[in-house]
């Protein structure tokens, strides 16, 4: 019996661990370090219709137990992802979750239509929560009506299940979660980064060229845990949880509050082998908890 | 191949004001092939500070499996690193990036190596290797002031060495470009590592001489996945940007838009 297997819309995962979008590129770099087939899935870097060069540097700044980034969705564009990146990943036995971004609804729809047809893309992750781009991104994710409309438009053209990535930068995340569920979302991924800022101690000026950036890393975990807990009570579709996951215990915590699977983001930068390490450690954790299958952990906090 | 290893610290000493030399031993050294590559060091087992620190490789001894890095302790991470004791283990990821080319110049030729501050260390392994290949090296090493000068004698043992300081407290007064201005132009190639304004000035000063420049930029992952350290390119028709960590840190002069 595979004690770690997880079944989600479009995704038969051998384990619930996957690198989060934006923290793993298109997998090529980590493929030099370990066999990607070990992973449950990979949430590939956001893909936009056109090539994007992202924001000026510096694009990252360290904070207390966290990191601010303002990469700005740099990616080679839909065509190159379809012809170069996804075929590269096809050599691995792994379902891919393609993160889709855009400026206008039509951009999202166009990318979703084509990328969902790629043979190894098994689900989409709708990026309505990137805080680092002027248009699109978070502007779609903070208004329940707009988020629902976009979800419905993408659902119409996508040939695979659609997960919507929620922003924590809202007053009530459950409102957005419910709106996208009603609009037909097959699942929710959460959370994206928290909008933050750091000033240089010597100059008093912002460190990031973009001035503000998205906060990630262990410092955001309590916020993410609280939000997954709240959203689990508000919707019935699956949740892939993330936000500061850096250890096996963190994975258990996210599943306990209601995540069906868990993504690892910034921790990949600290320890590039963190995903395979967690996957290897999980069975011992299950033994210690007296649990036969990992799914038994999901939602313990609500019982 | 990139490896992650808990390496043992075998030597650690202060060379100059806030400048430290740290030597580690481990199998990872057998993968270190090019001068100019770097390692990504985790300075704490906790999440504070969170990210690894990129530090250039100053010398490699593949026989003893030891390598040395020289760093400046000026932030939280490098200050913590400076407190590490001999015998302790250090989480090292590397070797990372692409270094300086070793076969660009013919045996018997003379090349110029230009370092600025904490950009000096990778030039030491480069100079050793070039000298082993029968290439003569001239070194121009620029520092802020006398108290932060290091490795002067080590470079002198490998070839002509000019040290300059901004305040004139040691060697020639002024920038590396001032020292180069009065050098006889008998070198075929220049290799440089240091702050971006210095690299820009060198490229401007020697537009017709082939050069190889090592860049630095704030990094997240160090392996090319996070897109934090990208730079726009000038002369690559099919590539609008490069990543300093994985495409570099060394690029031929003219490639990066300066």
């Amino acid at each position: 019996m595979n004690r770690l297997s997880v079944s989600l819309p479009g995704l038969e995962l051998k384990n619930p661990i996957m690198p989060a979008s934006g923290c793993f590129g298109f997998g090529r770099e980590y493929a030099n370090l370990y066999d990607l087939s070990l992973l449950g899935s990979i949430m590939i870097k956001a893909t936009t219709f056109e090539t994007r060069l992202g924001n000026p540097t510096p694009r990252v700044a360290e904070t207390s137990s966290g990191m601010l980034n303002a990469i700005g969705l740099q990616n080679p564009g839909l065509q190159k992802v379809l012809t170069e990146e996804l075929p590269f990943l096809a050599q691995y036995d792994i379902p891919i979750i393609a993160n889709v971004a855009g400026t206008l609804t039509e951009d999202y729809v166009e990318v979703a239509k084509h990328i969902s047809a790629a043979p190894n893309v098994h689900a989409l992750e709708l990026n309505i929560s990137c805080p680092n781009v002027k248009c699109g991104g978070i502007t779609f994710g903070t208004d329940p009506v707009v988020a629902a409309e976009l979800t419905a438009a993408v659902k119409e053209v996508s040939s695979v299940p659609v997960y919507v990535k929620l922003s924590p930068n809202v007053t009530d995340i459950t409102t957005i979660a419910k709106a996208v569920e009603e609009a037909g979302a097959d699942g929710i991924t959460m959370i994206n980064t928290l909008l933050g800022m750091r000033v240089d101690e010597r100059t008093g000026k912002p460190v990031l060229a973009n001035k503000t950036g998205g906060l990630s890393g262990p410092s955001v975990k309590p916020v993410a845990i609280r939000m997954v807990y709240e959203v689990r009570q508000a919707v019935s579709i699956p949740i892939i949880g993330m936000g500061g996951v850096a250890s096996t215990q963190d994975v258990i915590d996210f599943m306990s509050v209601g995540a069906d699977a868990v993504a690892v983001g910034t921790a990949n930068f600290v320890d590039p082998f963190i995903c395979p390490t967690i996957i290897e450690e999980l069975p011992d954790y299950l033994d210690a908890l007296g649990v036969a299958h990992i799914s038994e952990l999901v939602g313990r906090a609500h019982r | 191949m990139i490896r992650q290893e808990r390496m043992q610290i075998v030597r650690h000493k202060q060379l100059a004001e806030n400048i430290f030399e740290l030597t580690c031993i481990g199998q990872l050294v057998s993968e270190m092939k090019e001068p100019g590559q770097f390692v990504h060091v985790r300075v704490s087992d906790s999440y504070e500070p969170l990210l690894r620190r990129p530090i250039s490789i100053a010398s490699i001894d593949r026989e003893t499996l030891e390598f040395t890095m020289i760093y400046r302790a000026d932030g939280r991470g490098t200050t913590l690193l400076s407190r590490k004791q001999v015998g302790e283990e250090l989480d090292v990821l590397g070797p990372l990036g692409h270094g300086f080319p070793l076969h660009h110049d013919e045996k018997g030729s003379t090349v110029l190596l230009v370092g600025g501050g904490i950009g000096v260390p990778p030039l030491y392994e480069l100079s050793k290797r070039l000298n082993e290949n029968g290439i003569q090296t001239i070194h121009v090493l620029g520092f802020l002031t006398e108290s932060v000068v290091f490795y002067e004698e080590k470079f002198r043992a490998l070839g002509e060495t000019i040290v300059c300081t901004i305040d004139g407290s040691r060697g020639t007064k002024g920038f590396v470009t001032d020292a180069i201005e009065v050098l006889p132009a008998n070198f075929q190639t220049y290799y440089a590592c240091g702050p971006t304004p210095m690299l820009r000035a060198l490229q401007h000063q020697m537009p017709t001489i082939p050069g190889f420049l090592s860049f630095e930029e704030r990094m997240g992952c160090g392996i090319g996945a996070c897109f934090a350290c990208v730079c726009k390119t000038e002369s690559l028709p099919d590539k609008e940007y490069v990543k300093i960590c994985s495409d570099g840190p060394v690029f031929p002069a003219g490639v990066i838009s300066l």
Side-chain angles (χ1 to χ4, degrees):
Chain A
M1 178 183 89
N2 178 2
R3 305 170 70 191
L4 302 182
S5 63
V6 173
S7 188
L8 298 176
L11 302 163
E12 292 302 324
L13 308 175
K14 43 177 116 56
N15 62 68
I17 306 303
M18 58 191 82
S21 180
C23 299
F24 210 69
F26 293 93
R28 287 180 189 273
E29 294 78 16
Y30 290 90
N32 293 325
L33 303 181
Y34 61 84
D35 179 7
L36 301 183
S37 301
L38 290 168
L39 299 166
S41 175
I42 299 175
M43 299 165 131
I44 57 172
K45 194 159 169 53
T47 300
T48 52
F49 185 74
E50 76 292 1
T51 304
R52 282 208 191 174
L53 293 178
N55 293 324
T57 57
R59 296 171 165 194
V60 293
E62 202 174 35
T63 66
S64 302
S65 301
M67 183 186 109
L68 288 164
N69 91 81
I71 306 294
L73 300 184
Q74 177 161 5
N75 78 93
L78 176 65
Q79 273 318 310
K80 279 207 171 159
V81 171
L82 287 175
T83 56
E84 293 173 20
E85 306 300 348
L86 286 168
F88 165 78
L89 285 168
Q91 65 186 294
Y92 301 99
D93 173 28
I94 185 168
I96 302 298
I97 302 174
N99 185 294
V100 172
T103 304
L104 306 168
T105 303
E106 298 85 79
D107 303 332
Y108 280 92
V109 165
E110 198 65 16
V111 175
K113 188 163 71 182
H114 290 101
I115 210 164
S116 68
N120 53 339
V121 168
H122 290 215
L124 300 186
E125 179 181 50
L126 209 49
N127 188 341
I128 59 167
S129 45
C130 177
N132 297 323
V133 288
K134 286 197 183 77
C135 303
I138 199 168
T139 51
F140 283 95
T142 48
D143 182 331
V145 176
V146 177
E149 281 171 6
L150 183 69
T151 304
V154 169
K155 269 296 286 179
E156 207 165 295
V157 298
S158 176
S159 41
V160 295
V162 176
Y163 292 69
V164 181
K165 188 167 187 175
L166 301 188
S167 169
N169 302 305
V170 291
T171 312
D172 180 7
I173 196 165
T174 62
T175 312
I176 312 279
K178 282 190 255 189
V180 299
E181 182 183 40
E182 280 165 25
D186 298 281
I188 280 168
T189 68
M190 63 184 291
I191 57 173
N192 206 318
T193 53
L194 284 144
L195 193 57
M197 187 171 176
R198 184 186 145 192
V199 292
D200 185 296
E201 294 81 0
R202 284 163 292 193
T203 65
K205 301 255 168 43
V207 172
L208 295 171
N210 198 47
K211 297 189 175 63
T212 62
L215 179 65
S216 61
S219 54
V220 311
K221 186 187 149 195
V223 177
I225 288 282
R226 184 264 295 177
M227 288 185 158
V228 171
Y229 181 84
E230 288 176 348
V231 170
R232 180 68 288 153
Q233 290 176 320
V235 301
S236 55
I237 50 178
I239 297 171
I240 301 176
M242 69 199 79
V245 177
S247 69
T248 309
Q249 183 58 52
D250 292 340
V251 171
I252 306 279
D253 292 352
F254 268 86
M255 297 189 87
S256 298
V257 292
D260 298 276
V262 178
V264 181
T266 305
N268 288 293
F269 304 160
V270 182
D271 176 358
F273 295 92
I274 188 69
C275 287
T277 300
I278 289 173
I279 292 162
E280 198 184 322
E281 285 180 359
L282 271 172
D284 284 346
Y285 271 68
L286 297 188
D287 286 344
L289 293 165
V291 164
H293 192 276
I294 197 157
S295 59
E296 295 171 37
L297 296 176
V298 177
R300 287 191 301 171
H302 300 275
R303 286 174 209 146
Chain B
M1 200 181 113
I2 299 169
R3 295 170 66 132
Q4 184 184 20
E5 187 175 326
R6 291 191 75 86
M7 302 182 80
Q8 199 184 16
I9 299 172
V10 291
R11 284 185 293 285
H12 195 184
K13 66 172 182 183
Q14 189 163 358
L15 293 178
E17 192 182 346
N18 294 334
I19 307 287
F20 292 81
E21 182 191 57
L22 191 155
T23 303
C24 290
I25 188 166
Q27 288 299 322
L28 194 152
V29 176
S30 60
E31 306 290 341
M32 293 179 174
K33 299 189 171 84
E34 303 166 27
Q37 287 182 295
F38 66 100
V39 290
H40 223 192
V41 176
R42 192 168 176 198
V43 297
S44 163
D45 286 334
S46 75
Y47 303 136
E48 183 62 33
L50 183 65
L51 297 175
R52 290 172 171 272
R53 266 50 184 174
I55 301 177
S56 61
I57 297 166
S59 69
I60 305 162
D61 189 335
R62 288 170 67 183
E63 276 181 24
T64 61
L65 292 178
E66 291 179 357
F67 87 102
T68 297
M69 42 191 158
I70 295 169
Y71 63 93
R72 183 170 57 215
D74 64 353
R76 279 183 307 161
T78 42
T79 300
L80 275 177
L81 184 60
S82 72
R83 294 180 193 145
K84 297 268 181 195
Q85 304 288 319
V86 170
E88 276 188 71
E89 283 185 344
L90 198 60
D91 179 345
V92 181
L93 179 73
L96 301 178
H98 298 285
F100 292 102
L102 283 170
H103 302 289
H104 181 268
D105 301 285
E106 286 173 17
K107 197 173 174 178
S109 60
T110 302
V111 302
L112 175 67
L113 273 52
V114 190
I118 208 65
V120 168
L123 299 180
Y124 183 60
E125 178 66 24
L126 173 67
S127 184
K128 281 199 297 178
R129 300 281 282 275
L130 290 172
N131 277 279
E132 281 166 18
N133 290 351
I135 294 161
Q136 287 184 51
T137 52
I138 304 171
H139 316 106
V140 175
L141 311 176
F143 299 94
L144 212 53
T145 186
E146 185 176 24
S147 63
V148 292
V149 174
F150 62 91
Y151 265 38
E152 185 178 348
E153 291 312 313
K154 286 199 173 239
F155 276 97
R156 219 173 276 291
L158 293 167
E160 182 184 348
T161 300
I162 299 147
V163 166
C164 39
T165 50
I166 307 286
D167 62 3
S169 53
R170 183 167 193 92
T172 317
K173 185 177 179 174
F175 294 104
V176 290
T177 41
D178 300 321
I180 294 165
E181 201 64 52
V182 295
L183 268 185
N186 62 345
F187 51 87
Q188 278 76 56
T189 309
Y190 72 97
Y191 299 83
C193 183
T196 305
M198 182 193 98
L199 301 179
R200 187 186 299 123
L202 290 172
Q203 199 170 277
H204 183 72
Q205 186 178 29
M206 297 179 278
T208 57
I209 300 173
F212 294 92
L213 312 176
S214 181
F215 290 81
E216 59 176 16
E217 184 57 73
R218 236 172 262 235
M219 291 176 191
C221 68
I223 61 172
C226 76
F227 289 69
C229 63
V230 298
C231 277
K232 287 200 170 125
T233 62
E234 199 99 294
S235 60
L236 299 177
D238 58 334
K239 242 182 170 181
E240 280 185 88
Y241 65 87
V242 287
K243 300 169 195 167
I244 297 298
C245 70
S246 55
D247 296 322
V250 176
F251 296 93
V255 165
I256 304 284
S257 184
L258 283 172

